[in-house]
Amino acid sequence: MAFTLTVLGNATPYPRPGNPCSGYLVRHGTSKIWVDAGPGTLAALQEHTSPDELDAVWVSHLHADHVADLLPAVYALLFADLRPRPPIPLYGPPGTAARISAFLSNTGRAPIEQAFAVHELHDGHRARVGDLRLTSVAVDHGFPAFGLRITDGRRTLAYSGDTGPCPALTRLADGADLFLCEADGSEPSTVHLTPAEAGRAAAGAARLVLTHMSHTVTPRDAVTQAATHFPGPVAYATPRAVFGV
């Protein structure tokens, strides 16, 4: 059964022409999961599927470049031409529902539960979507943030979310067939990884795909830097690219 990762966008901290902010579509058989919902990714998502056909949404943290397109997604699901099934499971950090609701309404709490069934993440949180098992792992980004492991029992996709160097990265990458890892920093930081640090963090994975890179480093240079610390294949998360897990 096909298990794929489609890059909707990877720009930071704002979308660029042809490249939305962080967002990915994970598919396994008929199951579809929108992972991170940065600005521009809702439109990119619709090149592959309709929002009302999603089986789940998973959000790593509440910075706008990872979550902002949940706002128009609520409008799309509730007030437009879509015909959603029961509310779509939305897995996000503590406070996700309150943050979205406050933004969408000036007169009271917006009824986002009609669009999304919100489940708050914690370290070790587990969920099932079709034949996939999702495990969230707390990472270091200065406030609540999570990485993700998705497995069908045979193959595993891991995603760092936004994070600085931390022991949790070893847990995320260990045994992963594909590790999607941020490389936003050109200099060492407590809240982001350099490409070299991403390469070291990926030690337990079979393949490394770099994403969410700063404008201060080119994709080619980032891949080169990561490859000096990671012996396996290294690629760049080019927008619209599809990777088999």
Side-chain angles (χ1 to χ4, degrees):
M1 185 177 294
F3 186 0
T4 61
L5 168 75
T6 300
V7 180
L8 304 177
N10 66 30
T12 178
Y14 63 96
R16 313 298 174 97
N19 189 9
C21 284
S22 292
Y24 313 92
L25 175 63
V26 175
R27 295 191 196 187
H28 183 272
T30 61
S31 298
K32 305 180 187 74
I33 307 172
W34 184 13
V35 174
D36 275 346
T41 59
L42 178 61
L45 176 73
Q46 292 172 82
E47 296 179 8
H48 307 278
T49 189
S50 176
D52 57 347
E53 294 178 353
L54 292 167
D55 295 282
V57 181
W58 185 95
V59 175
S60 62
H61 65 291
L62 295 180
H63 278 154
D65 59 333
H66 291 254
V67 74
D69 264 18
L70 289 181
L71 304 174
V74 171
Y75 281 8
L77 293 169
L78 297 186
F79 308 123
D81 57 335
L82 302 183
R83 296 293 180 267
R85 296 165 289 182
I88 297 168
L90 167 59
Y91 302 98
T96 295
R99 181 77 64 88
I100 299 170
S101 296
F103 189 93
L104 288 174
S105 177
N106 291 324
T107 59
R109 194 177 187 285
I112 70 161
E113 289 82 2
Q114 295 176 22
F116 294 117
V118 181
H119 305 269
E120 293 193 344
L121 299 177
H122 56 78
D123 189 33
H125 179 279
R126 296 178 184 272
R128 182 177 284 275
V129 178
D131 291 329
L132 296 174
R133 297 191 300 275
L134 284 61
T135 302
S136 299
V137 177
V139 294
D140 289 354
H141 193 47
F143 76 125
F146 297 87
L148 175 65
R149 284 176 66 92
I150 305 178
T151 183
D152 65 357
R154 297 188 302 112
R155 297 160 294 177
T156 299
L157 165 67
Y159 171 46
S160 67
D162 277 13
T163 181
C166 63
L169 286 171
T170 301
R171 280 196 289 153
L172 279 169
D174 189 33
D177 296 280
L178 189 155
F179 183 37
L180 177 67
C181 189
E182 74 119 275
D184 189 33
S186 54
E187 299 293 335
S189 163
T190 59
V191 295
H192 285 293
L193 300 170
T194 65
E197 288 170 335
R200 288 193 288 268
R207 287 184 293 157
L208 171 63
V209 177
L210 298 177
T211 192
H212 199 270
M213 293 187 305
S214 168
H215 67 281
T216 59
V217 60
T218 67
R220 183 175 182 176
D221 287 344
V223 167
T224 299
Q225 292 171 33
T228 63
H229 299 276
F230 179 71
V234 182
Y236 167 61
T238 305
R240 293 188 170 87
V242 180
F243 296 90
V245 177

